Amino acid sequence: MGSLLLVLLLLLLSPSYPRGGSARRRRGARTQSPGGSSHPPFWVRLSPDFKAVPLGGSVWLNCSSSCPLPEGSSLRTELRRGETLSGPRWVSYQLLDVRAWNSDVHCFVTCAGETRGATARITAYKQPTSVILEPPVLMGSDYTLRCHVTHVFPVGFFVVTLRRGGRVIYSESLERFTGLDLANVTLTYLLPSRPGDFGQPVTCHARLNLDGLVVLSSSAPVTLPVPAWSPASKALASTSIAAFVGIFLVVGALSLRKYLSMQPPA
């Protein structure tokens, strides 16, 4: 009788185990369902992400996203804003009178309660008003070359180069100048004189490189002059010429005498 009661109890209890297991599985499925129904991640892009603008100029930035139904878009910047244009999943912002050396611009988009952003950098620059190379001055055995680059910004990103003919004779980076104001730069270089340099054209070049944007400005060419003769140099040259003429006359006289001695007597 006791064995029969035990078997009946086991038969009555055994169906409850699958139901319990399925209940746990159902609870697990209910726990995962909120994660499975969450919105997929979306991206935000601000383009261009870098722009170099002439000092005082303007620029358009486009803020776009992959959100199918954006709830809002905003822009954060210290630059002065102009017009705004919009379309499906994008907004374009105009920025005016760019004068700051570096400005970070931030765009934010909200999608399904989540806000994401993107950043762009705007840089202002100023091409030289003029690049002037003074006429070379010969002092002793060196030419003094002096180049003036006026009203440049930012100075630290310029390289000034001197060329003789088509070859670089000197180049200097201005990266040591860290000021963020318009500035004038004067480069002085001593070029040793050589006989082959007389009459050669020399030019000065200012080159600005901002993350791929290259701005070039050049001077008009100047010519290396022939050295002026000093009184001492003139005297030395006259003495040398006189000595050369004397040697030539002596050699000529000896050659004539030898030639006459070889002729048969008349």
Side-chain angles (χ1 to χ4, degrees):
M1 184 64 179
S3 300
L4 180 59
L5 291 173
L6 179 61
V7 170
L8 291 173
L9 287 172
L10 290 174
L11 290 174
L12 291 172
L13 292 174
S14 60
S16 66
Y17 291 108
R19 285 196 297 269
S22 64
R24 283 194 294 270
R25 284 195 293 272
R26 285 196 297 271
R27 285 196 298 270
R30 284 196 297 270
T31 303
Q32 295 173 1
S33 61
S37 62
S38 64
H39 293 274
F42 67 99
W43 51 259
V44 177
R45 181 178 298 121
L46 188 57
S47 60
D49 58 3
F50 173 82
K51 183 68 175 178
V53 183
L55 193 67
S58 62
V59 62
W60 281 89
L61 296 181
N62 183 272
C63 181
S64 59
S65 74
S66 61
C67 178
L69 294 172
E71 299 170 10
S73 174
S74 62
L75 193 75
R76 189 174 71 197
T77 178
E78 296 179 353
L79 299 174
R80 186 158 66 90
R81 290 171 56 169
E83 299 181 32
T84 300
L85 303 176
S86 62
R89 296 189 293 181
W90 63 267
V91 182
S92 288
Y93 302 92
Q94 184 186 31
L95 303 177
L96 304 173
D97 195 26
V98 178
R99 294 185 177 275
W101 154 230
N102 263 338
S103 297
D104 286 337
V105 181
H106 308 276
C107 170
F108 299 97
V109 175
T110 301
C111 182
E114 182 183 358
T115 300
R116 295 191 175 189
T119 302
R121 173 159 292 185
I122 308 300
T123 293
Y125 72 92
K126 172 68 170 62
Q127 187 172 1
T129 301
S130 62
V131 179
I132 301 172
L133 182 61
E134 294 183 5
V137 177
L138 184 61
M139 301 292 292
S141 59
D142 296 328
Y143 290 106
T144 299
L145 302 178
R146 186 167 287 112
C147 179
H148 304 280
V149 183
T150 64
H151 292 87
V152 293
F153 173 85
V155 180
F157 286 79
F158 275 87
V159 175
V160 180
T161 302
L162 294 172
R163 292 177 177 270
R164 176 182 54 210
R167 303 184 62 179
V168 175
I169 55 177
Y170 183 72
S171 184
E172 182 174 340
S173 171
L174 306 181
E175 59 185 357
R176 67 181 184 276
F177 296 99
T178 57
L180 297 180
D181 298 315
L182 284 173
N184 298 325
V185 178
T186 298
L187 174 70
T188 302
Y189 177 70
L190 296 179
L191 175 66
S193 63
R194 301 180 306 179
D197 290 339
F198 305 150
Q200 286 286 320
V202 179
T203 51
C204 180
H205 307 266
R207 182 176 185 267
L208 170 68
N209 191 338
L210 288 175
D211 288 347
L213 171 70
V214 178
V215 178
L216 295 174
S217 301
S218 303
S219 72
V222 297
T223 303
L224 295 175
V226 177
W229 291 93
S230 64
S233 300
K234 290 181 180 180
L236 179 61
S238 299
T239 304
S240 300
I241 294 174
F244 175 78
V245 172
I247 294 173
F248 178 78
L249 291 176
V250 170
V251 172
L254 292 175
S255 299
L256 179 60
R257 183 177 180 182
K258 184 177 180 181
Y259 171 77
L260 293 175
S261 65
M262 295 176 63
Q263 296 297 319

